[in-house]
Amino acid sequence: FDSNLASTDILGSVFLEGFTATSTLAAVANDLVQVTSFVGPSSVDGDVLLYGRNNAELTSSANQTFNITGDVLVSSSIDGAALPTGQIDAQAGAAFIDAVDGGILTIAGEGSVEAKSLNGIDFATLDHGDSLAGQATIASSGGGGSLTISGNANVEAQAFY
């Protein structure tokens, strides 16, 4: 590893299910980050930051509870400056916070979901790429899920050029 500009075709994912974190939680992957209370109750005593390049998910389901004492940011945004050399098109992924199938998700702070993109620029030719927003969702649906966000709820899906 020589720099932060290295890229790979190998996709990595992070999965956390049925856990207790006694401090802030940050999870980052170049494919999928999935944090859930599907197999048992989950809790985080602090903030939650999830970044999945293609998908980022915070979910409570299967009649389980998930309690978070801080703020939450779930993101699948992309900045053109972070694209591998030669790639100038940017497309955000899908990000969501949800409670489904009897799951109970409680966020004591703010809940934010974003799927934003900013195109890249080829400085040799001055060509710019396309920018496509992804999908950002906050939902409580399907089989009586319950979602409570005590602070502000923010949802952004934007393409910047």
Side-chain angles (χ1 to χ4, degrees), residues 5-152:
L5 297 178
S7 64
T8 178
D9 293 332
I10 299 169
L11 297 178
S13 297
V14 174
F15 299 97
L16 295 170
E17 297 185 357
F19 67 96
T20 298
T22 59
S23 63
T24 293
L25 170 69
V28 177
N30 69 345
D31 185 26
L32 165 65
V33 171
Q34 184 179 67
V35 177
T36 181
S37 64
F38 177 74
V39 298
S42 295
S43 65
V44 176
D45 188 7
D47 298 331
V48 173
L49 168 64
L50 308 179
Y51 176 78
R53 174 58 198 95
N54 295 317
N55 293 287
E57 309 170 7
L58 176 65
T59 303
S60 183
S61 63
N63 298 308
Q64 299 295 330
T65 60
F66 198 144
N67 295 309
I68 300 167
T69 64
D71 296 329
V72 171
L73 172 61
V74 179
S75 176
S76 64
S77 296
I78 184 67
D79 183 333
L83 294 169
T85 302
Q87 294 183 13
I88 56 176
D89 295 334
Q91 180 172 356
F96 63 84
I97 296 172
D98 71 358
V100 297
D101 297 327
I104 300 170
L105 176 56
T106 304
I107 300 170
E110 294 189 4
S112 299
V113 178
E114 61 181 36
K116 301 183 290 187
S117 66
L118 173 64
N119 63 305
I121 298 172
D122 181 334
F123 289 105
T125 64
L126 298 180
D127 288 337
H128 58 80
D130 293 325
S131 179
L132 299 170
Q135 181 179 11
T137 306
I138 295 178
S140 176
S141 60
S146 173
L147 172 60
T148 301
I149 301 173
S150 296
N152 294 328

